[in-house]
Amino acid sequence: MLTFTFRRLVLSIPTLLFISLAIFMLLQMAPGDPMAQVPLTVPPDVKQKMREALGLGQPVHVQYWKWLVQFFWIEPQVFIDWLTRESWTLGWLPDTSFAEGKLRVISWQTRGPVMSLVVQSLPQTFWVVGMSYVVGVLIALPVGIYSAYRHYSIFDQTGTFITMVGFSIPPFFTGPLLIVIFAVQLGWLPSTYNTVHQVVDWDSFVIQMKQMVLPVMVLALQTTAQISRYMRSAMLDNLKQDYVRTARAKGLRESVVVMVHVLRNSMIPVVTVIALGIPAIFGGAIITENVFKVNGLGYQLLIALFANDIPTVMTLTFIFAILIVLFNLIADVLYGVLDPRIRYD
Amino acid sequence: MFSKIMTIGGALALSIGTAGFAERGADGHVSIIYWQAPSILNPYLSGGTKDVESSSLVIEPLGRYDQDGALVPFLAEEIPTVANGGVSEDLTSITWKLKSGLKWSDGTPVTSADVKFTAEYCMHPEGGCAQASFFEGVVSIEELDELTTKVTFNQPKPNPYGPFMGGQSPIIQAAQFADCLGAKAPECTGANFGPIGTGPFVVTDFRPNDVIQMKANEHYRDPAKPAFATLTFKGGGDATAAGRAVMETGEFDYAWNMQLAPDVLAKMAEGGKGKPIAAFGALVERLEMNLTNPSPDLPAETRSTRAEPHPFLSDVRVRRALSMAIDRDLLVEVGYGQAGRPTCNLVPAPKIYTSDNTGCLTQDIAGANALLDEAGWVDSDGDGVRDKDGVKMAILYQTSTNAVRQDFQALIKQWWSEIGVETELRNLDASVFFGGDPGSPDTFQKFYADVEMYANVFNGTDPQQYLAAYKCGSEPKPDSQWQGENINRFCDPEYDNLIEEYARTGDIEKRGELGRRMNDMLTKDSMTIVPLVDRGRVSAHSVTLGGVVLNTWDSELWNVADWHRIK
Amino acid sequence: MTDAPLKTPEPTVDRVSEAKSSSQWRDVWKQFKRHKGAVMGGGFLAFITLFVLIGPYIWALEATKLDIRAKDMRPMYTVLWNGEAKVGWAHPLGTDQLGRDLLSQLIEGGRASMAVGWAAMILALFLGTTIGVLAGFFKRMDFWLMRFTDLVLSLPILPLLLVAVTLFRQPLRANFGPEMGMFILIVGVVGITSWMQTARIVRADVLALKEREFVLAARSIGTTPTKIITRHLIPNVMSPIMVSATLGLATAIITESALSFLGVGFPSDFPTWGKLLSDAVQRMEQFPERVLLPGLMISLTVLSVNYIGDGLRDALDPRIRGR
C-alpha cells in the first residue's frame, strides 16, 4: 500500500500539470471578456488599452507559462517569506525575502494577489461550508444506519421523505425561504453574514453561531440527504448478507454486528461520496454563499467567472483540482483499509 | 441676566445638536449594502460602478453633478465657466482653482501638483486607465500656482468638464501613487485598496469582493461632518436580498440599485423599516434594430455587416410597425413602476436635449398591421406569419439575462405575434453579451440576431460622445475585431455632418437643437433605435437615515457627508 | 468475513431453462407489487407522465400566452380562507405576473423537465456505470479513467457550458431544429458534467466485489469478463446506482433551470419546473403557490422514483423475494 501511495503521489504531478493546461485552454476558449462589466459608456479603444494592460494581448503559451511560474515558483517563495517573518512556528528563523519584487498571480478585478483573496475568504468558507459538511455528515451517518437497520419503520419512512424532498428543493429556494421565516417574520437571526465579526468572548460567539445557523442549515440539508441515502442503501445490501447471520449465530452482540461488521463493509460508497465532498468545501457553496452574503471562496469564484478574471479562476480551480486528486487518492487508500482484499499492485 | 443668556445659548446649541449638525461622528455607525461587491478602490483601474461609487466615499473630484445635473464645486473654489473667466473664450482651456486649506486624510495639503499628477496617472499610455476618455484631447496640464491648474485641449471643447469632474475622475494623492504610473499601476495593491483621499471617510479595512470598513476623516474640510463615526460597506447577494436587509429586517441603512419588479418592491416597503427612492437620469432601455442580415447561412466575413442589408428590417415601415405594436405604458407598469417612464427618445434628459417626440407612446396594433400590409408583407401561406418573396418575418430577439428583461421579451413577443411577426427569444449571460470577445457569436456588438435589447447612457450631462457613436464607419465589423459602438450599423451622411457641426458648436441653445435633431433622426424618423423606457434608478434607505439625495448624474453616495441619523 | 460462494443465485442462472427464468421475472413482479411504496410511486409517476403528455389536449390553454388583464390570479383553493382573492375557473391554479396560466405552465414545463431530467440522468448513469465498471474491473484502464474523472471533476462548469454553447449551438440547431437542438445540448451538458460521482462509487464497489469468492469462482470456470460484468458485477452495484439515479434526476431538473439563467437553456419564455420555481422565489410571500406547486412536482417525482428504486431493489434481491 505504501508503494502504491507513493507511486500515485509522484504520478499526481504530471496529472495536475495536465489538468492545469486543460483548465487554461478551456478558459481561453470560453467566450467572455474581462471588460464585460465595464460600463458601455467607456469607449472601445479605451477598453482595448485596458485589455492590453492586463496582458491579454500576449500569446497563449506565454500567458500559461507566466501563470505556471507565478503559481509554482513565486507563490511558494511568498509563503516561505511569510513563514519566516510572521508565523509563530518558524518565525524564529532569519527573515527571508525570496519573493521581493517578483510578480505574483494578480487578479484582474482587484489588481491584488489572488492568494490574499484566498486567505481572506478561507475563514468564512470553513466556518460555514466546512461546518455544514461536518454537521451534515454527523447527522447523515446515524440516520442512514438506523434507517437501514429499521427498514420501513416510521423513522425510515420519515427520513426518506425529508431527505428526498430536501434534496429536490434547491438552495436558491430554501435560502430565501429561511430568511423570510427566521429573519423577516420572526426576526431571530440575521439574513446577512458579517465576515468581519470577531469571536472574542461568549457573546460574540453566540452572535457568530446565530449568523451561521441559516446557511449551515441550507447546506447541511443537501449533504445529509445525499450521504444518508448512500449509507442506507449500502447498509441494506450488507445487512442481508450471510456473514451477518453467521456473526449473529456466533452470538456476537447486535451492536457489534451492526456497528463493526456491517458498517465497515458498507463504508466504501460513503467514503467515496465524502471524499468527493471535501474538496467541494474549498470550492465553496456558490448559491448559498451568495444568498447569505458569506462571500467565501464560492462567491469569489462566481464573480471571477462572471468578470472573466482568468488568473483568479485559474488559481481557484487549480487549488480545487489539487484537493480532488488528493482526496481521491485518500479514498483509494481507505478502500484498502476497509476491505483488505482490495489491492492495487 | 448673564446666566439667562447662557441658558438660552445652551438650549440653542442643544436644539441644533439634536437636528444632527452638532459634531463629527455624533451619529455612530452607518451601513451600506451594494449587491455587487467592490473589488478595488481606484476608479482609474476599474470602470465598474460598484468600484467608482465605493471609492467616492474616500476620494473626490474637483466638481460633481448634483441631482439635477447642475455642476457643483467640491474641491474646487467654483466651477470655471466662460463667464467667470475660468474657461477661455476659444474653449481650448479651463483653469481650476482648489479651495484653500484642503488636506488629505494624512494631514498633508492638497495642491495643484496632485491634480496634475492625477491626469498624468490616467493619461499614461501603458496604464490602461478606465477613465481615459475623460482626458481625451488634453494636451497639457500646468500648475499655475499652489492651488491653480490649467488644462489645455487640442481643439475647442464646448464641454470642457471631462477631467476632474464627476465620480469617475477624482483626484488622487501624488505622494501615494508616485510609483504606480503605467505598467506598475497593478503593483500598488496597498494604494489601490486604501487610497488617501479628501472625502468624508477613510478606509480602515478593505476586503476585496467582500466588505469595506471606514471611519470619519479627521481632516475633512467641514469640521461638523460627517455625522457618522464609522461606516460599513458590504457587498454581495442580489437586489432582492439587499432590499430585504434594508426595508424588511433593517440590518442595513442604504441599499443600492433595487432592480426589482414594482410589486416586489412595494411588498418589501410594507416592511416599514425603509423606503425606496427613485430618480431619473438619461438611461434608456431600448430595442436596437439590426439593419444588416444576421443569417447564419452567410459567410462569416459578411454576416451582420453592411455588405448584407437585412431582408426586412432594412425597411423603415417594418421597423415603425414593430415599434407601434408596443405598449410602453404596460412595459413600465410591469417592469419598473415608479422608476420608469415610457419614452420615445434616445436622449431623455437633460431638458435642453429632449425632443418633444411622443408619437410612439400609444400602442396601435391596427396601424401597425396596415403599415405592414402597405409594405407588401402579407401572410400568403396562412401560417399566421407575414412573408414576402419566400422570406418569413421571423425575428430572433436577444438580450441579457435579467428578470425584468425576460418579462419584456415575453410581452413584446406577444404583441409582435398580433401583427404577424414570429419571434424567437434568446437571453444571454451578461458577461458574454456585453463582453467584446470576437470569438463569441453572442456579443451585442456582433449582433447575430435581428433585434436586441439593453440599456445605455452617457457620462455627465453632455451626449456628444453618445451620439457620435452612430457615425458611418464606427460599426462593429470583422476588420475591427467586432469592436465599435454603432450597433445598428446605421449610416447617414447627413447625420455625420450634424455630429461634426455639433462638436464645433459652443452655444448651448444651438447644441440642444442639434442634439434633438440627431435624436429624432435615430428614433422617430428612421426607427433604427426603438426606445422603450426611460429608466430611473431606485435605491432604498432606512427610515432613520436622513440627508439622502439620490443622484443619477454622479455617484449615488455623492453627498454622504450630509447623511445623518434621524432620531 | 465469510462470504459463501453461493451467495448470489446468478451462477446457477447460467444453466437454468427459459421457463425457470420467466417465472423468476414473475416472482420479481410479484414482490414488487407487494411493496406499497413502490406501487404508489409507480402510480404517481405514471399519473404525472400522463398529466404532462395528454394534459395539453385536456387543458388547451397555451402556456406562453399572455393575458395581462388576468395577471396575478390566485388558485381556486384560496377562496377557502380569503373570499376576496382574485380567482376564476378560467385559471384554476392562478396566473403569474404576466397573466400566464399556471396549470398549463406546469403541464408544459413538466414535459421539458421530465424529458431533460430522465434523459440527462440516464446519460449520466450510463457514462458513470460504464466508466466505473471498466476502471474497477480492468486494472490497466483504472489509472487513466480515474485521472480523466479527476480532470472532469476539476473543470469549472460555467466556462465549460459557454464553450459548449459556442461550439455546438449552431450545428445542433441546423441539424435538429431550435428546440430539439437545445434539448440535445442541455441533456449533453448536464449528463457530461454529472457522471463522476457514480463512476467513483461504482468503481469502488467493483474493486471490492471482484475479489469476492463468487467472482473468483466464475472466473475460475472460465466465464468471460463481459459475462462477469453483466451477470455478477452490475446486479451487485445496483443499489448505489439506484440512489445515484434518484439524486441525479433531482439534480438534472434543477440544473436545467440554472442553465437557462445563464442563457444556455431553453428560451426564456419556455416554462420548465425548475425555471417556474426560480422565477417565483422573489414573490414567494405574496404568491406561495407559484413556488410550492412546481417544487411539489419536482419533489414528488423524485420521491416516487426513489420508492420505485426501493421496490425494485427488494424485488430483485433473491434473499428478500419469496420470504
Side-chain angles (χ1 to χ4, degrees):
Chain A
M1 206 43 117
L2 214 68
T3 40
F4 163 76
T5 316
F6 183 71
R7 204 175 53 119
R8 275 282 300 276
L9 273 176
V10 173
L11 283 171
S12 297
I13 295 167
T15 312
L16 282 169
L17 280 176
F18 181 76
I19 290 179
S20 79
L21 181 65
I23 299 174
F24 187 81
M25 291 316 293
L26 179 74
L27 294 178
Q28 288 295 320
M29 276 167 71
D33 178 6
M35 295 299 116
Q37 292 189 333
V38 172
L40 295 181
T41 46
V42 174
D45 51 320
V46 173
K47 285 189 183 159
Q48 193 49 39
K49 282 259 170 62
M50 290 171 75
R51 283 189 200 105
E52 280 161 19
L54 293 175
L56 263 172
Q58 291 165 329
V60 174
H61 62 273
V62 174
Q63 293 187 38
Y64 179 60
W65 178 247
K66 253 175 76 180
W67 180 85
L68 272 186
V69 170
Q70 286 168 352
F71 187 86
F72 285 103
W73 185 240
I74 297 174
E75 290 297 343
Q77 292 179 351
V78 174
F79 183 65
I80 294 172
D81 287 355
W82 175 82
L83 277 183
T84 55
R85 206 166 299 157
E86 284 164 47
S87 78
W88 55 273
T89 39
L90 292 170
W92 49 272
L93 284 170
D95 289 1
T96 53
S97 50
F98 293 121
E100 226 171 61
K102 291 178 184 160
L103 208 55
R104 304 176 61 182
V105 186
I106 296 284
S107 154
W108 286 351
Q109 294 172 86
T110 70
R111 307 296 182 96
V114 174
M115 280 321 223
S116 51
L117 272 185
V118 174
V119 172
Q120 168 211 315
S121 322
L122 262 180
Q124 52 250 44
T125 300
F126 277 139
W127 270 108
V128 173
V129 189
M131 184 61 79
S132 75
Y133 204 72
V134 172
V135 170
V137 172
L138 286 182
I139 299 176
L141 294 184
V143 166
I145 295 169
Y146 194 73
S147 299
Y149 188 66
R150 292 262 175 262
H151 197 196
Y152 298 136
S153 65
I154 296 198
F155 179 86
D156 179 28
Q157 300 287 14
T158 328
T160 301
F161 188 81
I162 294 176
T163 50
M164 290 319 291
V165 171
F167 190 79
S168 52
I169 292 178
F172 65 70
F173 172 45
T174 38
L177 180 70
L178 290 180
I179 288 183
V180 166
I181 296 175
F182 291 103
V184 178
Q185 303 291 350
L186 299 173
W188 292 349
L189 301 166
S191 73
T192 310
Y193 186 90
N194 179 4
T195 49
V196 289
H197 178 74
Q198 278 170 343
V199 178
V200 285
D201 51 13
W202 176 250
D203 289 338
S204 57
F205 178 73
V206 171
I207 293 176
Q208 173 66 18
M209 284 297 127
K210 272 185 159 180
Q211 65 175 355
M212 279 170 55
V213 171
L214 294 183
V216 168
M217 260 164 78
V218 171
L219 289 171
L221 183 62
Q222 302 272 317
T223 317
T224 310
Q226 211 183 11
I227 294 176
S228 69
R229 295 316 293 173
Y230 281 112
M231 185 77 243
R232 175 178 175 273
S233 93
M235 286 291 285
L236 279 178
D237 274 357
N238 278 289
L239 275 168
K240 291 168 306 201
Q241 301 283 1
D242 300 326
Y243 73 83
V244 180
R245 201 169 39 199
T246 316
R248 282 184 181 138
K250 277 199 311 193
L252 283 182
R253 277 210 320 275
E254 190 65 11
S255 59
V256 176
V257 175
V258 177
M259 298 308 287
V260 178
H261 292 247
V262 180
L263 186 61
R264 183 172 171 176
N265 279 293
S266 312
M267 281 309 278
I268 284 184
V270 180
V271 162
T272 313
V273 178
I274 294 180
L276 283 176
I278 292 176
I281 296 178
F282 184 87
I286 289 181
I287 294 173
T288 315
E289 282 190 10
N290 196 27
V291 168
F292 294 97
K293 288 139 284 193
V294 178
N295 300 351
L297 290 165
Y299 180 75
Q300 296 288 0
L301 180 63
L302 180 79
I303 62 169
L305 282 169
F306 281 124
N308 282 293
D309 180 356
I310 292 184
T312 309
V313 176
M314 183 74 202
T315 308
L316 286 175
T317 36
F318 187 67
I319 298 176
F320 188 47
I322 296 177
L323 292 175
I324 287 174
V325 171
L326 187 70
F327 276 91
N328 282 347
L329 171 61
I330 292 176
D332 282 353
V333 174
L334 280 179
Y335 300 154
V337 175
L338 289 169
D339 187 341
R341 278 175 296 192
I342 295 179
R343 268 185 300 269
Y344 299 101
D345 27 63
Chain B
M1 192 65 211
F2 181 74
S3 68
K4 201 168 183 184
I5 293 173
M6 282 293 285
T7 335
I8 293 169
L12 265 176
L14 259 176
S15 67
I16 294 169
T18 48
F21 297 106
E23 55 181 307
R24 174 173 298 153
D27 285 350
H29 185 79
V30 64
S31 47
I32 300 174
I33 184 163
Y34 268 44
W35 48 267
Q36 288 182 341
S39 308
I40 186 168
L41 290 178
N42 181 349
Y44 292 112
L45 293 183
S46 158
T49 315
K50 58 196 169 82
D51 306 318
V52 170
E53 301 210 340
S54 52
S55 65
S56 74
L57 295 164
V58 180
I59 42 181
E60 297 174 303
L62 297 179
R64 286 196 193 278
Y65 301 93
D66 71 3
Q67 68 272 25
D68 303 314
L71 284 64
V72 282
F74 259 64
L75 297 186
E77 191 69 48
E78 60 176 351
I79 296 292
T81 57
V82 181
N84 66 21
V87 177
S88 68
E89 284 290 336
D90 60 355
L91 304 175
T92 55
S93 73
I94 179 167
T95 308
W96 289 92
K97 192 165 189 315
L98 288 164
K99 284 187 175 129
S100 56
L102 284 176
K103 280 199 177 121
W104 292 105
S105 57
D106 63 356
T108 56
V110 181
T111 67
S112 50
D114 294 309
V115 179
K116 182 169 189 239
F117 175 81
T118 302
E120 278 166 8
Y121 180 82
C122 187
M123 288 165 68
H124 196 285
E126 287 162 36
C129 174
Q131 314 299 351
S133 62
F134 288 89
F135 293 87
E136 208 179 82
V138 173
V139 182
S140 69
I141 310 260
E142 294 159 74
E143 298 166 55
L144 298 185
D145 62 46
E146 272 284 276
L147 299 177
T148 322
T149 322
K150 183 180 171 194
V151 182
T152 314
F153 301 101
N154 57 1
Q155 60 177 34
K157 277 258 176 181
N159 175 32
Y161 306 112
F164 318 124
M165 184 75 201
Q168 285 108 326
S169 180
I171 307 298
I172 53 176
Q173 193 194 35
Q176 191 187 20
F177 283 89
D179 293 332
C180 308
L181 284 170
K184 279 176 161 166
E187 286 170 42
C188 295
T189 310
N192 292 334
F193 285 5
I196 293 171
T198 53
F201 290 95
V202 219
V203 181
T204 50
D205 180 25
F206 177 65
R207 295 176 170 222
N209 303 337
D210 183 9
V211 61
I212 317 171
Q213 287 171 289
M214 299 191 191
K215 65 174 198 298
N217 176 4
E218 287 168 37
H219 298 282
Y220 188 61
R221 55 187 173 275
D222 185 337
K225 289 174 184 174
F228 293 103
T230 49
L231 178 146
T232 305
F233 190 110
K234 172 87 178 174
D238 53 25
T240 323
R244 251 188 206 125
V246 169
M247 294 187 277
E248 293 192 305
T249 67
E251 286 163 89
F252 286 88
D253 293 306
Y254 187 88
W256 160 82
N257 200 3
M258 303 280 87
Q259 271 184 6
L260 296 169
D263 57 324
V264 176
L265 204 58
K267 169 76 191 160
M268 278 181 187
E270 282 171 24
K273 298 225 166 75
K275 56 187 173 201
I277 41 170
F280 287 90
L283 184 67
V284 173
E285 186 84 21
R286 79 288 290 283
L287 293 179
E288 303 270 4
M289 300 280 169
N290 194 346
L291 301 180
T292 61
N293 192 350
S295 163
D297 306 330
L298 293 171
E301 298 81 49
T302 55
R303 183 181 181 189
S304 266
T305 65
R306 296 216 12 245
E308 295 278 349
H310 197 280
F312 51 88
L313 285 179
S314 48
D315 183 344
V316 64
R317 288 172 295 185
V318 174
R319 302 197 295 266
R320 191 175 306 280
L322 290 175
S323 167
M324 284 161 80
I326 297 171
D327 182 351
R328 288 170 174 77
D329 286 316
L330 189 59
L331 288 180
V332 168
E333 188 195 316
V334 165
Y336 295 101
Q338 287 181 317
R341 299 188 283 223
T343 187
C344 303
N345 284 321
L346 180 64
V347 185
K351 223 174 212 94
I352 184 124
Y353 297 107
T354 315
S355 160
D356 56 351
N357 165 21
T358 52
C360 74
L361 293 184
T362 31
Q363 188 189 26
D364 184 3
I365 299 270
N369 271 315
L371 199 59
L372 288 176
D373 288 340
E374 180 200 313
W377 289 91
V378 285
D379 182 10
S380 63
D381 50 6
D383 63 350
V385 181
R386 291 172 186 270
D387 54 272
K388 185 160 96 176
D389 309 328
V391 182
K392 271 198 352 176
M393 274 188 119
I395 284 179
L396 177 62
Y397 172 10
Q398 69 181 17
T399 186
S400 69
T401 304
N402 167 321
V404 172
R405 289 204 171 123
Q406 265 72 77
D407 283 356
F408 274 30
Q409 279 188 310
L411 284 165
I412 290 175
K413 177 180 177 174
Q414 169 94 359
W415 291 320
W416 284 352
S417 77
E418 286 169 30
I419 60 168
V421 177
E422 184 183 75
T423 313
E424 185 191 338
L425 304 183
R426 180 179 290 166
N427 59 309
L428 299 157
D429 175 28
S431 67
V432 175
F433 187 60
F434 293 118
D437 188 340
S440 165
D442 293 332
T443 62
F444 80 110
Q445 295 102 326
K446 224 168 194 176
F447 212 162
Y448 279 179
D450 303 292
V451 176
E452 59 188 10
M453 176 169 73
Y454 58 87
N456 201 356
V457 69
F458 46 92
N459 283 319
T461 51
D462 182 77
Q464 179 173 338
Q465 189 200 341
Y466 187 55
L467 289 170
Y470 297 94
K471 278 190 302 199
C472 297
S474 67
E475 69 271 5
K477 47 186 178 282
D479 309 341
S480 66
Q481 258 65 53
W482 295 102
Q483 303 303 314
E485 293 166 291
N486 187 352
I487 300 304
N488 320 69
R489 287 80 161 132
F490 175 82
C491 182
D492 185 343
E494 196 194 330
Y495 187 88
D496 290 10
N497 291 338
L498 282 177
I499 194 78
E500 265 168 46
E501 193 186 338
Y502 183 85
R504 286 192 309 263
T505 310
D507 175 44
I508 186 72
E509 290 300 326
K510 181 77 182 143
R511 279 173 82 81
E513 191 196 317
L514 288 168
R516 293 195 297 269
R517 276 271 301 284
M518 286 187 281
N519 171 69
D520 289 352
M521 283 181 78
L522 292 170
T523 56
K524 78 173 175 194
D525 297 349
S526 72
M527 289 292 170
T528 306
I529 294 167
V530 176
L532 300 174
V533 180
D534 171 12
R535 277 176 54 185
R537 189 147 2 144
V538 192
S539 293
H541 68 86
S542 158
V543 286
T544 64
L545 185 67
V548 178
V549 178
L550 188 56
N551 184 345
T552 55
W553 303 102
D554 206 308
S555 163
E556 263 186 42
L557 307 174
W558 70 298
N559 73 336
V560 70
D562 301 334
W563 290 9
H564 55 89
R565 187 70 65 195
I566 302 169
K567 296 200 174 80
Chain C
M1 244 73 41
T2 52
D3 264 306
L6 288 176
K7 92 175 240 309
T8 55
E10 279 83 0
T12 53
V13 170
D14 282 343
R15 278 164 264 127
V16 294
S17 65
E18 262 315 289
K20 183 86 200 294
S21 94
S22 80
S23 89
Q24 183 198 341
W25 285 111
R26 203 179 303 149
D27 284 352
V28 168
W29 174 237
K30 239 160 101 189
Q31 176 67 30
F32 183 79
K33 275 196 301 188
R34 277 203 296 193
H35 193 289
K36 234 187 262 166
V39 172
M40 271 166 59
F44 182 77
L45 199 65
F47 165 73
I48 219 159
T49 312
L50 279 179
F51 172 72
V52 301
L53 282 184
I54 62 169
Y57 301 102
I58 298 168
W59 187 249
L61 218 58
E62 212 181 310
T64 53
K65 170 96 180 148
L66 306 181
D67 180 4
I68 199 77
R69 277 175 306 260
K71 71 169 180 177
D72 288 338
M73 285 177 69
R74 306 301 307 273
M76 281 315 291
Y77 60 76
T78 13
V79 185
L80 293 178
W81 63 86
N82 178 4
E84 283 151 34
K86 185 180 169 188
V87 293
W89 283 112
H91 303 288
L93 293 182
T95 55
D96 71 0
Q97 76 278 10
L98 296 180
R100 287 175 288 212
D101 182 59
L102 193 55
L103 176 59
S104 52
Q105 279 192 309
L106 282 178
I107 296 173
E108 199 61 45
R111 285 186 160 195
S113 285
M114 295 276 268
V116 168
W118 281 99
M121 181 260 275
I122 289 170
L123 177 65
L125 278 192
F126 174 76
L127 282 174
T129 313
T130 315
I131 291 176
V133 168
L134 291 179
F137 194 74
F138 299 105
K139 210 163 269 173
R140 223 175 299 154
M141 296 165 92
D142 187 27
F143 179 80
W144 295 106
L145 284 175
M146 281 304 108
R147 296 302 75 75
F148 176 66
T149 313
D150 286 348
L151 170 67
V152 182
L153 275 169
S154 355
L155 289 181
I157 305 286
L158 184 67
L160 194 68
L161 290 176
L162 295 176
V163 169
V165 170
T166 318
L167 294 181
F168 302 119
R169 188 179 60 206
Q170 201 46 49
L172 284 172
R173 268 176 75 97
N175 290 324
F176 299 97
E179 269 170 28
M180 195 59 198
M182 217 46 191
F183 176 78
I184 296 176
L185 188 64
I186 294 170
V187 167
V189 159
V190 177
I192 285 170
T193 52
S194 53
W195 54 267
M196 293 82 76
Q197 188 171 344
T198 319
R200 293 273 323 168
I201 293 170
V202 168
R203 164 181 172 270
D205 268 355
V206 170
L207 278 178
L209 283 170
K210 74 169 179 188
E211 305 296 339
R212 295 264 180 100
E213 292 82 348
F214 68 95
V215 178
L216 296 180
R219 212 180 272 182
S220 66
I221 57 165
T223 318
T224 58
T226 330
K227 280 240 165 101
I228 295 184
I229 289 173
T230 51
R231 292 189 173 249
H232 303 292
L233 294 180
I234 293 199
N236 278 294
V237 290
M238 268 326 264
S239 32
I241 292 179
M242 287 290 182
V243 176
S244 296
T246 21
L247 298 178
L249 184 68
T251 318
I253 291 177
I254 298 299
T255 312
E256 183 280 319
S257 67
L259 292 188
S260 75
F261 181 76
L262 295 171
V264 184
F266 294 114
S268 58
D269 60 337
F270 190 95
T272 64
W273 286 344
K275 195 154 63 190
L276 290 174
L277 177 60
S278 63
D279 285 355
V281 165
Q282 271 198 345
R283 298 183 174 85
M284 68 179 160
E285 283 173 89
Q286 302 102 297
F287 305 103
E289 67 274 7
R290 291 190 207 159
V291 273
L292 291 181
L293 291 173
L296 208 65
M297 294 298 232
I298 301 175
S299 304
L300 289 179
T301 310
V302 173
L303 260 181
S304 49
V305 172
N306 173 66
Y307 283 122
I308 294 174
D310 266 5
L312 263 183
R313 198 205 25 239
D314 286 2
L316 287 173
D317 191 325
R319 268 181 242 87
I320 290 188
R321 195 168 64 225
R323 253 186 222 168

